[in-house]
Amino acid sequence: MPHKSFLTGHPGVTFDYARRYAPLVTMPTTVPAYGAEAAERLASMADVTATDGALRRFLHGLPGVDAVGLQARAAALGTRSIKTTAKAYAIDLAISMIDLTTLEGADTPGKVRALCAKGVSPDPTDRSVPKVAAICVYSDMVATAKQALAEAGGSEVHVASVATAFPSGRAALAVKLADTREAVAAGADEIDMVIDRGAFLSGRYLQVFEEIRQVKEACRRTDGSGTAAHLKVIFETGELQTYDNVRRASWLAMLAGADFIKTSTGKVAVNATPPVTLLMLEAVRDFRDTTGVQVGVKPAGGIRTSKDAIKYLVLVNETLGADWLTADWFRFGASSLLNDLLMQRQKLSTGRYSGPDYVTVD
């Protein structure tokens, strides 16, 4: 007899889903190198990006997005419920996928150190709470974050740095590359870059492709280790105007070498939404089917509650399956989400909601 799904009324995902993936919430995030077959498949697509015309023909040749169908599927998946036991594991999984973020002009070293302490020990009264995946800061705070994480016993928590003239992306390429190299030299494990939306919307696809490719090169460390910071490419989907553009941006970024594709900066009116995230999840699925290369997805901005986070986890599970249900391949860009997850976790363990003083105000 098949296991009962933790998604009510939906077969395919076993009730012991959480037990199978619980060990993953404390795993360090490491993305494996491309295999020989994947590298060969990618090489076979080189002609797609050889010229601006070829790239344009490829991107505009992608299937058009059925907006009504996309929104309906995202809405339907959003109604799925999960049972209490699986919900507890889902909350821990969501915590382990958070890029805990502060990106304000008023950021101080003290604020960053406090955020790092919270990322390492989200609930000081409960050591079973997993660490977050990363701390996301501006490049001038990378060294502070690295030191604070090491001192707090959380060296496995990554430091992500925004770069390339975040959030607007309006700067010369040389400035963007210098911004990236500075962050990597300071110890950043991950770079969150923003694309030039003006160039993309003007149809200058090869320019955007080359910028991503060169930023990817700038992510290489110069310490002789042969390693590189992982690259997340932010689209600012709220400014891309159409679902077709989101699909095109997804493929363009992945062809250029993105390790993750990310919805938003969190600095505009429209940030991550379930339909846009679902579309990006479908894009990484199709990209792996085509090339053999797996790429992660990071929705960011506007995800504030446990209910929201679990809806996104359902989207991942139903679209991509278990392969993406780890912090290696799926992240939440958030600042306030962690507090709600902690309060919901406390509610599940004690049967009552905690007061507002249970969590810190970031």
Side-chain angles (χ1 to χ4, degrees), residues 4-8 10 13-15 17 81-83 86 314 317:
K4 188 174 181 180
S5 171
F6 82 97
L7 298 170
T8 303
H10 187 80
V13 183
T14 61
F15 186 78
Y17 145 87
S81 61
I82 67 173
K83 298 184 185 298
V314 170
N317 183 70

Side-chain angles (χ1 to χ4, degrees), residues 13-243:
V13 183
T14 61
F15 186 78
D16 64 349
Y17 145 87
R19 292 182 179 85
R20 289 188 286 120
Y21 297 113
L24 298 175
V25 300
T26 56
M27 289 177 62
T29 52
T30 55
V31 178
Y34 298 156
E37 180 183 355
E40 185 176 341
R41 287 196 205 174
L42 275 177
S44 71
M45 297 187 68
D47 59 328
V48 168
T49 58
T51 67
D52 194 58
L55 184 55
R56 179 186 304 276
R57 284 191 297 274
F58 175 80
L59 295 177
H60 284 267
L62 293 170
V65 178
D66 174 4
V68 174
L70 178 72
Q71 292 167 354
R73 176 163 170 76
L77 290 174
T79 64
R80 299 278 171 79
S81 61
I82 67 173
K83 298 184 185 298
T84 302
T85 304
K87 183 177 180 180
Y89 287 108
I91 287 173
D92 277 6
L93 186 60
I95 291 172
S96 76
M97 292 174 165
I98 289 177
D99 284 0
L100 193 58
T101 301
T102 182
L103 295 169
E104 302 296 335
D107 285 345
T108 64
K111 181 179 180 181
V112 170
R113 284 193 289 269
L115 198 70
C116 290
K118 183 172 182 177
V120 173
S121 183
D123 182 351
T125 69
D126 186 352
R127 296 297 179 180
S128 70
V129 179
K131 298 176 177 65
V132 301
I135 303 295
C136 187
V137 293
Y138 279 112
S139 59
D140 63 323
M141 292 291 178
V142 168
T144 298
K146 292 291 285 189
Q147 181 180 4
L149 288 170
E151 291 173 352
S155 296
E156 69 272 32
V157 176
H158 283 191
V159 173
S161 173
V162 294
T164 66
F166 177 95
S168 70
R170 309 302 308 172
L173 178 58
V175 173
K176 295 179 180 182
L177 296 178
D179 192 17
T180 303
R181 293 186 185 109
E182 177 184 345
V184 174
D189 303 292
E190 302 168 6
I191 296 294
D192 288 32
M193 71 165 288
V194 287
I195 66 167
D196 183 337
R197 280 88 75 192
F200 181 88
L201 292 170
S202 299
R204 302 197 304 274
Y205 300 130
L206 194 60
Q207 176 184 330
V208 179
F209 174 89
E210 284 297 329
E211 282 199 357
I212 297 171
R213 188 187 63 79
Q214 290 192 49
V215 171
K216 175 82 170 180
E217 283 295 314
C219 288
R220 294 186 180 278
R221 298 187 178 91
T222 58
D223 58 3
S225 65
T227 60
H230 297 148
L231 178 63
K232 306 192 199 88
V233 179
I234 309 169
F235 301 147
E236 201 70 287
T237 53
E239 295 182 350
L240 293 190
Q241 302 174 355
T242 69
Y243 289 132

